[in-house]
Amino acid sequence: MSKTANRAAAKAYREERLRLQEDEQHKKNVREEIQVLGTFREYMQRRRPTTTTLGCLIAAIDAYAEQLTGNSDALWAGTRDTKHWWDE
C-alpha cells in the first residue's frame, strides 16, 4: 500500500470513528433528556396543577420528545419496555 493510500485509509478510519463517537454521544444525550422529560411528565400527572395547564404541559413535553426521537409515544407508559434506537 502506498503512502498516499495509507494516509487516505487512516483519514477515513478516523472520520468513521469520530462519526460513531458523535452518534453514541447523541444517543446518550437523548436518553438523558427522555429520562428527565419522563420524570417531569409523571410529576405533572400526579400533582395535577390545573386541567388546562396539565394538558398544555404534557402536550408540549410529548411534542418535544417526538422532536427528539421521532416517536410520538416515546414517553407513554405502554412503550417503556420496548427498545428504542436511543437505547441501543
Side-chain angles (χ1 to χ4, degrees):
M1 184 179 267
S2 70
K3 204 177 212 183
T4 305
N6 194 17
R7 285 181 183 154
K11 182 179 178 185
Y13 174 76
R14 280 192 309 271
E15 288 173 352
E16 180 65 16
R17 196 175 67 202
L18 181 61
R19 187 191 65 76
L20 289 174
Q21 288 173 347
E22 288 172 350
D23 188 46
E24 285 301 314
Q25 184 63 39
H26 176 71
K27 287 179 182 181
K28 180 183 174 204
N29 292 343
V30 169
R31 275 193 303 269
E32 290 171 357
E33 283 201 48
I34 289 294
Q35 182 180 5
V36 169
L37 286 173
T39 303
F40 181 66
R41 186 176 191 271
E42 289 171 17
Y43 169 79
M44 291 305 295
Q45 283 181 325
R46 278 190 239 130
R47 297 293 178 180
R48 298 206 180 251
T50 64
T51 307
T52 305
T53 306
L54 177 67
C56 291
L57 285 172
I58 288 178
I61 291 169
D62 288 344
Y64 183 64
E66 180 178 11
Q67 181 184 0
L68 278 176
T69 65
N71 183 0
S72 61
D73 60 349
L75 294 176
W76 294 5
T79 60
R80 286 286 192 176
D81 297 332
T82 58
K83 186 169 181 137
H84 302 288
W85 65 265
W86 59 88
D87 290 328
E88 294 175 349

